[in-house]
Amino acid sequence: MKNIEFRTATSVQGGLVVMGGVPGVAAGSRVQLRDHAGRIRSGLVIRTADDAVLVEVFEGTNELDLERTWVRFLDEPFKLPLSRDIMGRVFNGSGLPRDGRPPIISADRRDVNGEPLNPAARAYPREFIQTGISAIDGMNSLTRGQKLPIFSGGGLPHNRVAAQIVRQAKLLGEEAAEFVIVFAAFGASHADARFFQESFEESGVLNKVVMFLNLADEPVIERLLTPRAALTAAEYLAFDLDYHVLVVMTDMTAYAEALREVAVLRGDVPARKGYPGYLYSDLAELYERAGRIKNRRGSITLIPVLSMPSDDITHPIPDLTGYITEGQIVLGRELANQGVYPPVTVLPSLSRLMKDGIGKNFTREDHPHVASQLFASYAKALEVRGLAAIIGAEELSDADRLTLQFADAFERRFIGQGEDEDRSIHETLNLAWDLLSMLPLASLIRVSEAELAKYHKGNAA
């Protein structure tokens, strides 16, 4: 440990402290600052050089007196105290209580950067997680141990969708009681943070949720710590306490922008759109902490939410996220403008591991075929809708008009649902059969004859 008088500082501004070179100090090390009034502030070394050390202070640098401030380099990475008591608690991005309750006192303090996971020790993601949202459960199902991001845009209701998933998500069967949620929001407005906390409290799910909230007016360095603290808590719950953990993080765009800001302060060379060249590896470092480990009962499933700048799915953040994760749920502006909630655009959405978590013994035996038929029928209906826009609906055949009616009903009844409407997977599949029964039997080629006999409503034209 080193105590260094702060008279070597050259500047203090904007939450940053620039000091003279300190031998042996590594980037990422924790720092404590004691000001002239005896108050302790925390910081993190973000850059070191022979002649200077750059420290970002979590609590800001207001009223710091250079002549009467001391710095202590702790020579360790940032660590999070963990115990069973974190359940039902609300923390800031660095793990300090935000709910007015005492801090977590525990001898078990863990590096928020996590520990490397041997790829050979990973178990394949399986089993279905029910979100209660038909567009996800029915057509882009989430499996235990999967990484499934939500791609959104500015002004779209991704925060409401994320909160609904937290309120409604559950496991089916005997393991339902072993399911908990870690929720992290970074760069959130005060209104959004209030919405999340009140939503979970009023619905009664807060007791099985661990919340990490970083606000937009708080230091960017804390924004980089927030997802790491959340995933560290998730690893403790999953691999020490054997829980099945769903981690929901919003908004990864705020995280990436914070990473870009800190990279500029470090003097890193910018790459695409000014983001650092290590954006891919940094995101992978976070996303790959989700998964399952062989011979371990617990699991971590990850839903990161990101808002695509200018609705551009080729932007570096969604583009790189798509390489690392196993699919995406895409929220569309066209459906949102029509008043459809949640505005899930199902055709560009994809869950690559869906096949391993649905069907007999997981959801229902007809689920894979029903999902495939819904995709095919809706894709055909969008083609007919485009044709109708050119030649007019009155020129369409009776079969095509029926297809248009199916598309409207599908968007209104299947994709659209109430914000507090929690649909079981059986309700979702029964609703799907109601809609498919609007179509001629001859067009339902992706479901079996036995499934038609058992589930078709008999109303086909």
Side-chain angles (χ1 to χ4, degrees):
M1 301 286 185
K2 303 176 182 179
N3 284 329
I4 298 179
E5 193 174 357
F6 201 11
R7 291 172 186 166
T8 55
T10 56
S11 67
V12 177
Q13 57 183 353
L16 295 175
V17 171
V18 183
M19 304 178 57
V22 182
V25 173
S29 297
R30 284 184 62 215
V31 173
Q32 285 183 344
L33 298 91
R34 189 182 68 198
D35 62 20
H36 64 281
R39 290 172 300 200
I40 300 296
R41 309 186 192 195
S42 299
L44 210 62
V45 176
I46 63 172
R47 184 184 179 190
T48 63
D50 292 339
D51 58 346
V53 173
L54 189 62
V55 175
E56 179 132 15
V57 184
F58 292 165
E59 295 85 358
T61 54
N62 292 340
E63 301 180 359
L64 275 185
D65 182 349
L66 296 185
E67 297 298 319
R68 292 182 293 170
T69 300
W70 292 73
V71 177
R72 189 183 188 197
F73 292 88
L74 300 181
D75 197 25
E76 67 176 16
F78 196 89
K79 293 186 176 181
L80 186 72
L82 293 168
S83 77
R84 290 180 180 272
D85 296 333
I86 63 175
M87 294 299 302
R89 297 295 304 274
V90 183
F91 303 98
N92 68 8
S94 57
L96 296 177
R98 195 184 282 280
D99 52 10
R101 296 163 61 186
I104 299 296
I105 305 298
S106 173
D108 192 355
R109 297 172 63 250
R110 304 202 180 175
D111 182 356
V112 297
N113 295 301
E115 297 180 358
L117 177 61
N118 184 348
R122 286 187 177 272
Y124 195 84
R126 293 191 186 278
E127 288 92 47
F128 173 74
I129 295 179
Q130 181 175 289
T131 67
I133 298 175
S134 291
I136 298 176
D137 293 346
M139 303 181 69
N140 300 283
S141 303
L142 179 66
T143 61
R144 204 182 306 172
Q146 185 177 5
K147 306 178 289 290
L148 186 64
I150 294 177
F151 290 0
S152 184
L156 295 180
H158 46 271
N159 283 340
R160 291 163 55 196
V161 174
Q164 185 172 0
I165 291 173
V166 172
R167 292 194 307 268
Q168 297 180 175
K170 60 178 67 71
L171 296 180
L172 305 180
E174 297 178 356
E175 296 176 316
E178 302 170 1
F179 184 70
V180 297
I181 295 172
V182 174
F183 177 82
F186 17 96
S189 67
H190 286 265
D192 284 341
R194 225 172 14 252
F195 162 72
F196 289 130
Q197 193 165 350
E198 291 175 357
S199 175
F200 303 155
E201 287 175 350
E202 292 171 0
S203 62
V205 301
L206 187 58
N207 62 342
K208 68 169 188 176
V209 176
V210 184
M211 292 184 67
F212 292 85
L213 297 177
N214 165 259
L215 303 181
D217 57 357
E218 293 177 333
V220 292
I221 193 67
E222 185 178 299
R223 205 161 302 156
L224 300 185
L225 283 177
T226 307
R228 290 174 168 80
L231 288 164
T232 301
E235 289 169 345
Y236 171 76
L237 293 169
F239 304 130
D240 286 64
L241 303 185
D242 292 335
Y243 283 108
H244 297 292
V245 186
L246 174 63
V247 181
V248 179
M249 304 195 304
T250 180
D251 175 350
M252 294 305 298
T253 299
Y255 171 84
E257 289 174 350
L259 186 69
R260 177 170 60 181
E261 185 174 338
V262 172
V264 170
L265 296 174
R266 288 173 175 161
D268 296 335
V269 177
R272 291 172 60 190
K273 294 189 181 294
Y275 294 97
Y278 51 81
L279 176 62
Y280 176 87
S281 58
D282 193 277
L283 291 174
E285 182 182 299
L286 296 177
Y287 296 152
E288 293 297 345
R289 292 174 71 174
R292 305 175 71 168
I293 300 178
K294 293 176 182 177
N295 302 319
R296 296 285 187 93
R297 185 175 177 82
S299 63
I300 300 176
T301 308
L302 178 62
I303 300 181
V305 181
L306 60 90
S307 52
M308 301 178 290
S310 303
D311 293 355
D312 181 11
I313 202 168
T314 66
H315 186 276
I317 304 171
D319 186 35
L320 297 178
T321 295
Y323 281 116
I324 304 165
T325 56
E326 294 110 12
Q328 68 277 332
I329 304 297
V330 181
L331 304 188
R333 199 167 297 279
E334 183 177 350
L335 286 176
N337 291 340
Q338 295 172 14
V340 176
Y341 172 89
V344 177
T345 308
V346 295
L347 294 188
S349 298
L350 170 68
S351 174
R352 293 190 180 94
L353 303 183
M354 174 177 173
K355 65 184 185 303
D356 301 301
I358 64 172
K360 188 177 181 181
N361 299 326
F362 293 126
T363 54
R364 206 168 75 182
E365 76 283 355
D366 60 320
H367 190 170
H369 294 161
V370 169
S372 178
Q373 185 64 63
L374 285 175
F375 272 114
S377 298
Y378 185 56
K380 172 64 176 176
L382 293 187
E383 291 180 4
V384 173
R385 185 179 285 173
L387 179 63
I390 298 172
I391 66 172
E394 63 278 0
E395 299 297 327
L396 297 176
S397 66
D398 292 341
D400 285 344
R401 289 197 189 97
L402 205 57
T403 302
L404 282 184
Q405 293 175 20
F406 165 80
D408 293 339
F410 176 78
E411 292 171 350
R412 187 179 67 256
R413 296 175 55 197
F414 189 87
I415 297 177
Q417 66 181 84
E419 196 167 340
D420 296 316
E421 184 180 358
D422 184 1
R423 294 178 184 165
S424 71
I425 185 59
H426 289 276
E427 290 173 329
T428 291
L429 293 174
N430 290 339
L431 176 58
W433 277 110
D434 286 344
L435 297 171
L436 291 175
S437 296
M438 298 173 60
L439 299 172
L441 281 170
S443 68
L444 304 180
I445 59 175
R446 294 176 180 265
V447 292
S448 69
E449 293 291 337
E451 290 164 347
L452 284 172
K454 184 175 181 179
Y455 297 109
H456 194 274
K457 306 303 178 183
N459 296 323

